[in-house]
Amino acid sequence: MSSLYKHIPSVNDALDALTRDSYFSELPRPLLKGLVNEFLDVCREEIRAGLIAEPDALALEALLPRMSAHVRAKSRPHFRRVLNATGVVVHTNMGRSLLADSAIRAVAEACGHYSNCEFDLSTGERGSRYSHVEELLCRITGAEAALVVNNNAAAVFIMLETLARGREVIVSRGQLVEIGGSFRIPDVMTKSGAILREVGATNRTHVYDYEGAINEETAALMRVHTSNFRVVGFTREVSLPEMRALGDRYGLPVIEDLGSGTLYSLENAGLHGEPTVQQVVEQGADVVSFSGDKVLGGPQAGIIVGRREYIERIKRNPINRAMRIDKMTLAALEATLRLYLDMDLARERIPTLRMITMSEAALKSRARRLADTLRKVLGDRVAVALKRGFSRVGGGAFPEYDLPGTLVSVTTEEISIPELRQRLLDTDPPLVARIEDDAFLLDPRTLDSREFGMVAAALRQALDMQ
Ligand SMILES: *Cc1c(COP(=O)(O)O)cnc(C)c1O
């Protein structure tokens, strides 16, 4: 057995053989060498365990396929593309919104070249980085002024810190929400230095509840969008116009955390109950914040729009500098917002809106095409069938709506469905979908049709077909 060890290829020979493939020759050399050594250790281990008993099995050509697979699997970047077949359009765990093509191009341009990021081309002097999007935001939302920070959590924080630090903010008990990832309105408020004055009951809050809590310490009336839940039944929330009237009577600003915040009305797509940012501005909210990468379909950002006097104060807050967005975000946001100058264009070009508003007929034809591709590539290794089902908007928007569509169900006798799901997490790229009734369910809504072949290839890999 010990004589077998000397048949193990040298690291240098192994490296030479591997780097004939450009994928490997482009990897950082120390990374490659470490992984080759790791693989050769596995071989030593297998000799010791009696799994390798023949010198022939240790020939470089014999080892090369396994060695390539080992190095390839371990040298993949940690941040990877994933095939999202879950049907959740704004999936926070999978990067939320996909950018429109024009936004992707704008990002590439912004990060590959110098730019007028903070440079005023009319004067040749230092400029404001927000100038690129402020006018667009005002034009689209009807607000007087706008500001953009890193994400909506930061937006809520800086709004409160600026306008209410050390003073009271009145919020309905029905709106003290927790968003995923431990963002809770009461906690953010505490951190901002604002004092939460909760009023009303979980299911019902009235104008007189807010009015009764107003005193000389009150800094603002706040509304928070109940993003990920709905209170139904015997309920009452104070409407924005009512709140506006109350604010006017006592000289208090009305601030609103809209959460997802959509610029495109989804009423025509059958989704009701979420006002657009334009409506909220129109109905008189003084300061409104929302996310750039939820239903808006742009990059991660927290957008704040509203009355100039408040926005100017927020802009001057020194914390603003710590929440500043980078040039890639700016480029992507401007390109995305430009599409909103024509709502039909926005619906067509912004992937998030396109996926949410996709017709049932279109979904059915995509499901058919996906099923055909799977049958062609996988033959009788799997059973493929179409099934009626539902997708979700996700991202804390329209939590009570199921979006109807057609799904592709995949079953196999060869391995259990949980095992299949596990293996698909390790394919290239990984494929994530739902399991229901012992079937693997693929939702074509969140897959690009150019990805159908990759879905089939991932299933092939998971079933060891190559
Ligand atoms: C999502 C959400 C936030 C946080 O927004 P991020 O963009 O994730 O920082 C805050 N408030 C509400 C109501 C939300 O839905």
Side-chain angles (χ1 to χ4, degrees), residues 346-367:
R347 198 202 69 80
E348 262 169 49
R349 301 279 170 84
I350 296 174
T352 300
L353 293 182
R354 195 166 60 219
M355 288 188 255
I356 293 172
T357 60
M358 204 172 275
S359 75
E360 286 194 56
L363 285 163
K364 188 164 191 177
S365 108
R366 296 168 117 250

Side-chain angles (χ1 to χ4, degrees), residues 363-373 375 386 406 408:
L363 285 163
K364 188 164 191 177
S365 108
R366 296 168 117 250
R368 281 214 187 96
R369 268 190 295 145
L370 175 58
D372 287 346
T373 306
R375 288 194 190 103
L386 299 190
T406 307
V408 177

Side-chain angles (χ1 to χ4, degrees), residues 23 35 48 65 73 81 103 162 184 190-191 217 254 260 275 283 295 315 324 351 358 368 382 387 421:
Y23 171 84
L35 291 173
R48 210 167 4 256
R81 172 182 182 169
T162 310
R184 283 180 170 173
T190 305
K191 280 286 175 198
E217 289 306 315
V254 175
S260 183
Q283 290 177 3
V295 175
K315 278 185 186 165
R324 152 175 122 164
M358 204 172 275
R368 281 214 187 96
V382 295
K387 190 176 185 274
R421 175 180 189 274

